[in-house]
Each structure stands twice: as structure tokens, then as C-alpha cells.
Amino acid sequence: MDQTARPPTATPPAAPGTYEASLSRSIGVGGNILITLSSISPASSVFILGGSALALFGTGVFWAFLIAGIVSILIAFCYAELASAYPVAGGDYSLVSRALGPAFGVATFFISLISLPLIIAVFALGVADYLGVAIHGLSPQQTALVVVVITTVTACFDIRTNAWLTGVFLGVEMAALALLTVLGFVHMERPLTSLLSPEVLDPSTGNLAPLAISGLMLAVTQGIFAYNGYGGAVYFAEETKNAARSIAKAVIWSAVITVATELVPLIAILVGARSQTELYGSSLPVEAFLTERAGHAVAVVVLLSIALAVINAIIAITLQAGRLLYAAARDRALPETVAAPLQTVSTKGRVPVLATVVMGAIAFAACFVPLDVLLTATGSTLTFTYLFIALAAINHRRGGTTRTGYRMPLWPLAPGICIAALGLVFVVTLLDPEQWLSLGISLGLVTAGFVYFALYLRPRKNTHLLLLNAAPEENC
């Protein structure tokens, strides 16, 4: 993996006001979707986040994940319009910088710079739990370190190879979700109408009781987190063919597929479990349902496939993390001595190898941090990111932009509803003292981003944070 920059004669020089086409524009919308869905990992979301929600919120999961799905698709509309107008590598940071303002963009960069490697560490620390069904005595930390090294090396391969590899793994986890769906609907114990009244297990009585509105709101926030990741398609904008048209498709299709492949299996489990009280009372509801309906041997095979799904997600998120740091370095959002090496790409695969390795190294170090600290540090960052994306989608149109491309339906309804929903999430977070530390960390990252912009970048506005456009397709 040669880390030298491409020879300047490899492509025509960049047009004025654009970046040179350094990355390899070699995947289609389908390849983008495969990598994006892999970063979301619908199967691990169902088993981990969905299972936790079943235990805490019972049949409220149906309404919560349905509402969260609607909100997620509306946010996907915002991502799609912004990405169509600004098809530049860098994900949320690139979109917010250009559509809402560089100060908000730098704050978003700070959030992503910390949260992406920490999320990688969280996922890696969970791999041993699933591999443990076949290999007993695995150390979560040692397993995580090995996984981070392997996935970081894999993420340094060319983008087409990673699209193919993540696609294979994604097929395995989709098969696991299909199995859950079939088992639930073939063994239906109650009608779908039973899901209309949200009920949860009351530990004091052992019976079902109505779920309070506050509990439902908490479940909605968990659903939004479970669906998160469809905006990851934007990280590969400069590696996707016909990006101005296809990135919007990649974002929206990723969101729709995610909602469907997570919500439907959860519905199947809710109607197919023999006993609701036993399901909600289990420490691992999805695994318990699977063992009940398919047997222990099948459950073991599926849990091993979930381990592959988690590893697949780590590969995809590492790909995103590397492109985030590469884009920020190329924008000169970092000091020149740091930015210069990070914006280079490999000669053969045209991959930002050093930027990817640096983000992998941060994730490697994060594996030594206690899991509860990692979860706390990343807990509220998503709310701020989505809020900035929704505000950017409004400001993008208000600015009278002449850019063409995808236009979301019923603007500004989608970003308006998202902002209102995120406002409720903030209220729920503020009412829960256990979430205050997480919220404080996120506010700290946002504040640090604004301060860094004001003190370092704004005085150097002529040479730093350039925010140019990507090279046109014909130059790639």
C-alpha cells in the first residue's frame, strides 16, 4: 500500500475552484449502498439495540421504531438534497460546512472525529460476546484489538474491493434477519392488532402494563440510533459514479432498506413469541426468541453471523472515518504540517491510507477505555449531528442556491419535523439525569469546534478551510 500521492499526470489538473480528483471514482450507487448498509449493520441493531428495546419497552417497540423510521427517512431527505448539491467526501462535516456555515461544520468535524473511532471501539469490544458461543474464554479487549487491526488494514484496500467484501458479509446478516422474520410470522401467536396498544412488563407484578408516553419517547430515541448510518453514503461521494445524481439515491435507499429490515423482524418477534412476559423479561430477548423457535444449534450459527456483521460494520465505519480525516486535511481545516501527509492517497488504489490508519489507531487506543465510558461519550453526539443537518437543509434553500440536483418533497416540512423531533429528544435527555454527562460531552465537543474555528481558522480564512468543490466527473 504505497502511501505516496498520485503522480500529477495521472489525471487532468483540477478546474479552478475545485479539488483534484484524487480518489477513485469506481463504484456505482449499488456499491455505495452495500458499504453504507454495512456500516449500519441492521442485524446487529436488531439483536443489540432492538433486543434492549424489547426488554425495556415491550410492544412499545412497534410504535417507537415506526415513528423513528419516519423521522429517519425525513432526515435522509435532508442528507440527500445536501449531498446532491455538495457531492464531496467528508460526510456530515462537508455538508454542514458548505450549507450551514464553516463554524458549524468544524463543530460537526469535532463530533465525528471523536465519535467515529469510539463507535468502532464499542463495536469491536462486543465481538467477543458473539464469537464466544463457539470460542469460549475470549478476552473482549484482546479480541477488540485484533479486530481493529484487521479491519483497519482491510479498509486500506481499494474501494471496489471493500464494496464487494462488505456486500458478502451484508448478505449473511440479511439472511439472519430473514430467518427471524420467517420464524415470527410462521408461528404467529397473536394478531398484528395486538401491537397497537403499547405495553411493557411490570417487574413488580410480572404482568403487562401500559407504557407511559415518556417511555415511548425514550424508545423512539433508541430507534433513531438503531437506524443511524444512512448518511454515511456521503463519505463516498467522490468515489461514486454520477455522484450528483446517485448519492441522493444511495442515501434514501439505505434509509428505507434499514427501516424495513429492522422494523419487520422486530414485528415478527413481537407476534411470534410464545410468551410476551418471558420475551420482555429475558436479558437477551432476540436470542431467546431465536432459540425458542429454531433451536440452540441454529441460534449459535446466527450469533456467529452477527459477529461477522459487527466486523463488517467496523470495516465500513473505518472507511468513513478515513475519508472524514482526509477531507478535513484537504480542506486545510488542520494545521498544514498535519494536513499535508493526511491528504495523500495511495498510488495504486487511490485510497487515503494514512488518514485511515490514524483513525484506526485512535480506535485501537479507545479499546483500552471502559465500555461504559465509550457509550457515555458517544451517547448524545447523534442528536447534534442530525440537528445541524436539518438546519443546513433549511439554510441551503433559504440561501437562494442555484445548485441543481435532488430536491426533497414538501420542503421545509422534512427538516422542520426533524428539528421538532430532535427538540423532544433533547427534552427527554434533560429530564434523565443519567444522560447529563453524555449531553455535556457532546456540548463540549461542539463548543471546542466553535472555539477552534474562531481562534485558529477564521483568522486564516484565506489559506485554511478552503471548502472547494469536488472535481467534475469528466476529470476523474
Side-chain angles (χ1 to χ4, degrees):
M1 297 174 202
D2 184 4
Q3 181 53 34
T4 58
R6 284 187 310 105
T9 57
T11 61
T18 64
Y19 293 117
E20 181 186 349
S22 296
L23 301 178
S24 174
R25 199 178 292 277
S26 56
I27 60 173
V29 63
N32 189 311
I33 291 173
L34 289 177
I35 299 175
T36 303
L37 288 175
S38 296
S39 71
I40 300 168
S41 187
S44 57
S45 292
V46 168
F47 274 80
I48 300 171
L49 297 175
S52 173
L54 287 170
L56 293 172
F57 310 112
T59 52
V61 167
F62 167 72
W63 283 112
F65 275 61
L66 179 62
I67 295 170
I70 294 171
V71 172
S72 295
I73 290 174
L74 293 177
I75 295 174
F77 286 157
C78 299
Y79 270 110
E81 179 163 323
L82 292 172
S84 179
Y86 310 102
V88 182
D92 306 327
Y93 148 73
S94 292
L95 301 184
V96 174
S97 296
R98 289 164 172 79
L100 188 58
F104 286 93
V106 174
T108 305
F109 169 66
F110 270 54
I111 290 174
S112 300
L113 181 67
I114 299 301
S115 62
L116 284 176
L118 296 192
I119 290 172
I120 291 171
V122 169
F123 277 32
L125 288 167
V127 170
D129 292 339
Y130 292 96
L131 289 180
V133 300
I135 308 173
H136 300 291
L138 286 177
S139 164
Q141 185 181 79
Q142 293 177 3
T143 302
L145 295 174
V146 172
V147 166
V148 169
V149 170
I150 293 174
T151 53
T152 299
V153 171
T154 304
C156 293
F157 297 158
D158 67 85
I159 193 67
R160 284 179 61 87
T161 300
N162 274 289
W164 178 85
L165 182 63
T166 54
V168 171
F169 285 167
L170 182 66
V172 174
E173 65 174 293
M174 288 300 182
L177 292 175
L179 176 62
L180 286 176
T181 302
V182 170
L183 291 173
F185 287 125
V186 168
H187 302 95
M188 285 185 65
E189 297 285 344
R190 57 198 62 86
L192 291 172
T193 53
S194 65
L195 306 180
L196 300 180
S197 300
E199 292 182 314
V200 66
L201 181 65
D202 184 351
S204 62
T205 64
N207 297 318
L208 298 180
L211 177 66
I213 294 296
S214 59
L216 182 62
M217 287 306 305
L218 285 172
V220 171
T221 63
Q222 194 154 338
I224 291 174
F225 187 76
Y227 295 141
N228 173 52
Y230 40 85
V234 184
Y235 286 99
F236 310 107
E238 294 180 48
E239 294 163 282
T240 304
K241 301 172 184 176
N242 302 314
R245 293 185 294 274
S246 60
I247 287 296
K249 296 178 183 178
V251 171
I252 294 174
W253 273 111
S254 295
V256 170
I257 293 171
T258 297
V259 172
T261 54
E262 292 187 26
L263 180 59
V264 173
L266 287 171
I267 292 174
I269 292 170
L270 285 167
V271 299
R274 288 195 181 98
S275 169
Q276 289 179 297
T277 56
E278 290 181 7
L279 178 70
Y280 308 149
S282 172
S283 58
L284 298 170
V286 179
E287 288 86 338
F289 168 81
L290 183 61
T291 302
E292 172 188 278
R293 289 304 189 188
H296 176 72
V298 173
V300 168
V301 172
V302 172
L303 291 178
L304 289 174
S305 74
I306 299 304
L308 291 178
V310 174
I311 294 172
N312 195 33
I314 295 171
I315 294 172
I317 297 172
T318 304
L319 288 167
Q320 296 173 1
R323 280 138 185 87
L324 166 73
L325 191 57
Y326 160 80
R330 188 182 58 175
D331 290 342
R332 295 184 185 173
L334 303 170
E336 183 61 26
T337 54
V338 176
L342 291 175
Q343 62 183 302
T344 59
V345 299
S346 59
T347 303
K348 184 177 181 181
R350 295 165 65 180
V351 176
V353 174
L354 183 58
T356 302
V357 170
V358 168
M359 295 300 274
I362 297 173
F364 185 91
C367 292
F368 292 95
V369 178
L371 182 59
D372 57 342
V373 176
L374 294 174
L375 293 172
T376 300
T378 57
S380 299
T381 56
L382 180 61
T383 307
F384 283 94
T385 299
Y386 279 174
L387 177 61
F388 290 162
I389 287 292
L391 291 172
I394 291 177
N395 197 58
H396 168 67
R397 290 273 193 105
R398 288 182 65 252
T401 179
T402 58
R403 291 176 179 270
T404 59
Y406 173 81
R407 296 280 176 154
M408 74 180 78
L410 302 176
W411 182 92
L413 186 62
I417 292 175
C418 293
I419 292 171
L422 293 169
L424 289 175
V425 171
F426 273 116
V427 171
V428 171
T429 302
L430 288 172
L431 293 176
D432 184 1
E434 294 184 359
Q435 301 299 319
W436 290 352
L437 178 57
S438 176
L439 182 61
I441 292 172
S442 298
L443 282 170
L445 291 173
V446 171
T447 302
F450 280 115
V451 171
Y452 175 73
F453 172 79
L455 297 182
Y456 182 78
L457 292 176
R458 187 163 61 184
R460 298 168 175 80
K461 61 181 180 181
N462 293 327
T463 57
H464 288 63
L465 205 59
L466 302 180
L467 301 178
L468 304 181
N469 296 321
E473 188 96 6
E474 61 267 20
N475 286 349
C476 301

